[in-house]
Amino acid sequence: MGEVTDIVNSGVAIIHLLANHAGVQTVQGGYANGFPVGYDGNGASGGSFKQITKKWKQSSDWYDFLHADFDFTVGVSWLWGIQQNGSGHYIDQITTTLEIGYLPVDFSVDVQANFPQHGNKFGTHDDVVAGMPMTMAITLEGIFGQAVSFRQQKNVVVKGDGSWEWPT
Amino acid sequence: MADIPADAPRSEDGHYWWDGSQWQLIDQGQQQGQQGQQQQAQSAQTAQQTAQPMTDDLFANMMQAAEADVQEA
């Protein structure tokens, strides 16, 4: 097999999810991927799904007026370990997930993942492991006596060997 | 059994309260129940008194405390 010159994402660039107490709405959905340049995944073999999640949950006593109760989980799932002609560890169907356990009526959660067109190469020359970084922005907005908001942005990486990075 | 008024005089040994005409025996369960209610009311009152306007910084601290580590599903 020839040298893998680059890892590219031929899927979506943005996944955008929005939720309130009534449920989750997909503003912009789809999948990103990480394949060798010029390869569209046709004829790929193997692979396993993995999901990583991060949860925010708070429940307080009825007389506690200093805290708002909420329960939501943000995640990333992807198919890893895909081989092209029996070689490499590539990734496909990378997407973002949002599950709502509980949100107050006046609260909303916004999750947006931005994917680049080019990913990263890990592994060895003969056994390339694809990596796809994404910028994950999570925003919680609500009315808590007055309008408040919380925003967290992290650079998350998922890889073709099933490993991942999500900074604390 | 009648509720004991909060300002009702009590005997030195704590077993009786004065209803204005005679001493009444304080039921232990009644006493504990009233104490529990008073504690809950005090907690709520304390929370209200110490409540300060919610700011984005306070909200961020609350979110940080509620945040769990990333887990593989």
Side-chain angles (χ1 to χ4, degrees):
Chain A
M1 181 183 166
E3 182 182 354
V4 175
T5 55
D6 205 355
I7 297 295
V8 296
N9 168 28
S10 58
V12 301
I14 296 174
I15 294 175
H16 188 187
L17 306 172
L18 185 61
N20 59 22
H21 73 285
V24 180
Q25 176 193 356
T26 302
V27 181
Q28 245 175 306
Y31 299 96
N33 57 43
F35 286 125
V37 64
Y39 178 56
D40 63 0
N42 189 24
S45 62
S48 303
F49 271 107
K50 175 172 279 193
Q51 185 180 28
I52 52 177
T53 58
K54 190 169 188 62
K55 190 179 189 70
W56 280 264
K57 181 177 182 178
Q58 181 166 273
S59 54
S60 52
D61 295 319
W62 65 269
Y63 53 79
D64 184 354
F65 301 107
L66 303 177
H67 297 92
D69 290 353
F70 46 79
D71 178 3
F72 65 94
T73 305
V74 178
V76 176
S77 70
W78 74 105
L79 185 64
W80 63 276
I82 300 168
Q83 293 191 321
Q84 179 197 17
N85 299 324
S87 176
H89 290 76
Y90 302 107
I91 41 182
D92 196 7
Q93 300 192 47
I94 309 165
T95 196
T96 305
T97 61
L98 173 60
E99 291 176 25
I100 302 297
Y102 172 75
L103 270 183
V105 173
D106 293 329
F107 278 65
S108 66
V109 179
D110 183 296
V111 176
Q112 183 163 321
N114 285 69
F115 299 89
Q117 286 187 322
H118 292 261
N120 300 96
K121 273 194 302 186
F122 297 94
T124 64
H125 175 77
D126 294 326
D127 188 12
V128 172
V129 174
M132 184 54 61
M134 72 192 79
T135 302
M136 180 84 85
I138 301 158
T139 306
L140 177 67
E141 291 184 336
I143 304 296
F144 194 83
Q146 60 190 39
V148 288
S149 68
F150 163 81
R151 180 178 167 85
Q152 184 178 87
Q153 184 166 301
K154 298 289 183 182
N155 296 317
V156 178
V157 182
V158 294
K159 298 179 184 175
D161 59 0
S163 63
W164 50 273
E165 294 170 25
W166 189 328
T168 53
Chain B
M1 184 175 293
D3 286 335
I4 306 172
D7 57 350
R10 294 179 182 239
S11 62
E12 287 184 4
D13 63 8
H15 296 309
Y16 301 90
W17 65 279
W18 183 252
D19 68 358
S21 57
Q22 57 185 336
W23 290 100
Q24 300 287 343
L25 181 64
I26 296 174
D27 177 69
Q28 203 169 9
Q30 187 185 15
Q31 190 172 21
Q32 288 172 347
Q34 280 209 333
Q35 282 174 349
Q37 285 176 359
Q38 283 172 355
Q39 283 170 354
Q40 282 191 332
Q42 281 171 354
S43 298
Q45 196 176 11
T46 303
Q48 279 183 316
Q49 285 171 347
T50 56
Q52 48 187 311
M54 180 61 74
T55 63
D56 284 347
D57 285 344
L58 287 173
F59 196 59
N61 290 339
M62 194 175 71
M63 290 301 295
Q64 195 173 10
E67 182 176 325
D69 291 335
V70 179
Q71 301 214 331
E72 289 191 10

